[in-house]
Amino acid sequence: MPFYALAKTNELEDGFKRTVKLPHINVFIFVHQGEVHVIEDRCPHMDVPLATGTLEPNSIRCRAHGIGFDLTTGKADGIWHDTLTCLRRFEVVYRDYAVGIALDDDFLHESPL
C-alpha cells in the first residue's frame, strides 16, 4: 500500500490543520483535542470542503448546511443521521518523522471523484 506523508510529526500539536491534494482525493489532516485525524475534505451532502467547517468537541460541522459529523464513527448528526453516507475517515500511519495515510490498491483504482 502506498504511503502518503501529510505532515511532519513535530508539527502535530492542537490546532494544526492542513489540506492535501492526493491523486484521487483531497484530505484534511488536523489535530483536535490531542488526537490526529485524517478525513476526506468533502462533505458527503454537497461536496463542500470540511476544512472550512467548525471543529466541535467530538465532531466537525460543515459550514454550508450545518451538518455535523462524528469524528469517531463518521455518522452525520440530527435528521441526516440515517440518510447521509458516512464521512470518509482514514487510519493515521506514522513512518519515521512523518504522519500520513496508506491507501490500498482498490482505493487507488477507483475512478476519481
Side-chain angles (χ1 to χ4, degrees), residues 19-22 24-28 39-42 90 113:
T19 56
V20 180
K21 183 176 179 131
L22 298 177
H24 287 282
I25 192 169
N26 293 335
V27 296
F28 178 40
I39 62 173
E40 183 175 9
D41 191 19
R42 179 186 78 81
F90 298 93
L113 301 174

Short mmCIF file of all heavy atoms in Angstrom, two decimals, residues 19-22 24-28 39-42 90 113:
data_model
loop_
_atom_site.label_atom_id
_atom_site.label_comp_id
_atom_site.label_asym_id
_atom_site.label_seq_id
_atom_site.Cartn_x
_atom_site.Cartn_y
_atom_site.Cartn_z
N THR A 19 -4.79 20.88 4.43
CA THR A 19 -5.44 20.11 3.37
C THR A 19 -4.36 19.66 2.39
O THR A 19 -3.40 20.39 2.15
CB THR A 19 -6.50 20.94 2.62
OG1 THR A 19 -5.90 22.12 2.12
CG2 THR A 19 -7.65 21.31 3.55
N VAL A 20 -4.53 18.46 1.87
CA VAL A 20 -3.55 17.90 0.94
C VAL A 20 -4.30 17.27 -0.23
O VAL A 20 -5.24 16.49 -0.03
CB VAL A 20 -2.68 16.82 1.64
CG1 VAL A 20 -1.67 16.23 0.67
CG2 VAL A 20 -2.00 17.40 2.87
N LYS A 21 -3.87 17.61 -1.44
CA LYS A 21 -4.47 17.02 -2.64
C LYS A 21 -3.66 15.78 -3.02
O LYS A 21 -2.46 15.89 -3.29
CB LYS A 21 -4.47 18.04 -3.77
CG LYS A 21 -5.14 17.54 -5.01
CD LYS A 21 -5.21 18.61 -6.08
CE LYS A 21 -5.86 18.01 -7.30
NZ LYS A 21 -6.92 18.82 -7.83
N LEU A 22 -4.31 14.63 -3.03
CA LEU A 22 -3.69 13.37 -3.44
C LEU A 22 -4.24 12.99 -4.80
O LEU A 22 -5.20 13.60 -5.28
CB LEU A 22 -3.97 12.29 -2.39
CG LEU A 22 -3.41 12.57 -0.99
CD1 LEU A 22 -3.81 11.47 -0.03
CD2 LEU A 22 -1.91 12.73 -1.02
N HIS A 24 -6.34 10.80 -6.03
CA HIS A 24 -7.76 10.55 -6.22
C HIS A 24 -8.65 11.23 -5.18
O HIS A 24 -9.86 11.01 -5.19
CB HIS A 24 -8.05 9.04 -6.16
CG HIS A 24 -7.59 8.32 -7.38
ND1 HIS A 24 -8.29 8.34 -8.55
CD2 HIS A 24 -6.49 7.59 -7.63
CE1 HIS A 24 -7.65 7.63 -9.45
NE2 HIS A 24 -6.55 7.16 -8.92
N ILE A 25 -8.06 12.02 -4.30
CA ILE A 25 -8.84 12.54 -3.19
C ILE A 25 -8.13 13.72 -2.54
O ILE A 25 -6.91 13.81 -2.58
CB ILE A 25 -9.07 11.41 -2.15
CG1 ILE A 25 -10.12 11.80 -1.13
CG2 ILE A 25 -7.77 11.01 -1.49
CD1 ILE A 25 -10.56 10.63 -0.27
N ASN A 26 -8.91 14.62 -1.98
CA ASN A 26 -8.38 15.69 -1.14
C ASN A 26 -8.63 15.28 0.30
O ASN A 26 -9.74 14.87 0.65
CB ASN A 26 -9.06 17.03 -1.42
CG ASN A 26 -8.74 17.54 -2.80
OD1 ASN A 26 -7.72 17.21 -3.38
ND2 ASN A 26 -9.62 18.35 -3.34
N VAL A 27 -7.60 15.39 1.13
CA VAL A 27 -7.76 15.02 2.54
C VAL A 27 -7.47 16.22 3.43
O VAL A 27 -6.79 17.17 3.04
CB VAL A 27 -6.85 13.83 2.93
CG1 VAL A 27 -7.25 12.57 2.18
CG2 VAL A 27 -5.39 14.15 2.75
N PHE A 28 -8.01 16.15 4.63
CA PHE A 28 -7.84 17.18 5.64
C PHE A 28 -7.25 16.49 6.86
O PHE A 28 -7.85 15.58 7.42
CB PHE A 28 -9.19 17.81 5.95
CG PHE A 28 -9.19 18.87 7.01
CD1 PHE A 28 -8.18 19.81 7.12
CD2 PHE A 28 -10.25 18.95 7.90
CE1 PHE A 28 -8.21 20.80 8.10
CE2 PHE A 28 -10.30 19.93 8.88
CZ PHE A 28 -9.28 20.85 8.98
N ILE A 39 -9.40 12.99 7.36
CA ILE A 39 -10.70 12.75 6.76
C ILE A 39 -10.69 13.22 5.32
O ILE A 39 -9.82 14.01 4.92
CB ILE A 39 -11.83 13.46 7.53
CG1 ILE A 39 -11.64 14.99 7.49
CG2 ILE A 39 -11.94 12.94 8.96
CD1 ILE A 39 -12.81 15.77 8.08
N GLU A 40 -11.65 12.75 4.54
CA GLU A 40 -11.82 13.28 3.20
C GLU A 40 -12.30 14.72 3.34
O GLU A 40 -13.20 15.01 4.14
CB GLU A 40 -12.83 12.46 2.42
CG GLU A 40 -13.00 12.93 1.00
CD GLU A 40 -13.91 12.04 0.17
OE1 GLU A 40 -14.56 11.13 0.72
OE2 GLU A 40 -13.94 12.26 -1.05
N ASP A 41 -11.70 15.62 2.60
CA ASP A 41 -12.05 17.04 2.69
C ASP A 41 -13.26 17.32 1.81
O ASP A 41 -13.20 18.11 0.86
CB ASP A 41 -10.87 17.92 2.30
CG ASP A 41 -11.11 19.38 2.64
OD1 ASP A 41 -11.99 19.65 3.48
OD2 ASP A 41 -10.42 20.24 2.08
N ARG A 42 -14.38 16.66 2.16
CA ARG A 42 -15.59 16.79 1.36
C ARG A 42 -16.79 16.37 2.20
O ARG A 42 -16.83 15.27 2.73
CB ARG A 42 -15.47 15.87 0.14
CG ARG A 42 -16.66 15.86 -0.78
CD ARG A 42 -16.49 14.81 -1.86
NE ARG A 42 -16.77 13.48 -1.37
CZ ARG A 42 -17.99 12.96 -1.23
NH1 ARG A 42 -19.05 13.65 -1.52
NH2 ARG A 42 -18.13 11.72 -0.79
N PHE A 90 -9.68 8.11 7.59
CA PHE A 90 -8.53 7.28 7.27
C PHE A 90 -7.73 6.98 8.53
O PHE A 90 -7.61 7.83 9.41
CB PHE A 90 -7.63 7.97 6.25
CG PHE A 90 -8.31 8.22 4.94
CD1 PHE A 90 -8.95 9.43 4.71
CD2 PHE A 90 -8.34 7.25 3.96
CE1 PHE A 90 -9.59 9.66 3.51
CE2 PHE A 90 -8.99 7.46 2.76
CZ PHE A 90 -9.63 8.68 2.53
N LEU A 113 -13.12 11.15 -7.99
CA LEU A 113 -14.40 11.76 -7.60
C LEU A 113 -14.67 12.98 -8.43
O LEU A 113 -13.86 13.65 -8.92
CB LEU A 113 -14.38 12.12 -6.12
CG LEU A 113 -14.15 10.93 -5.20
CD1 LEU A 113 -14.00 11.41 -3.76
CD2 LEU A 113 -15.31 9.96 -5.28
#
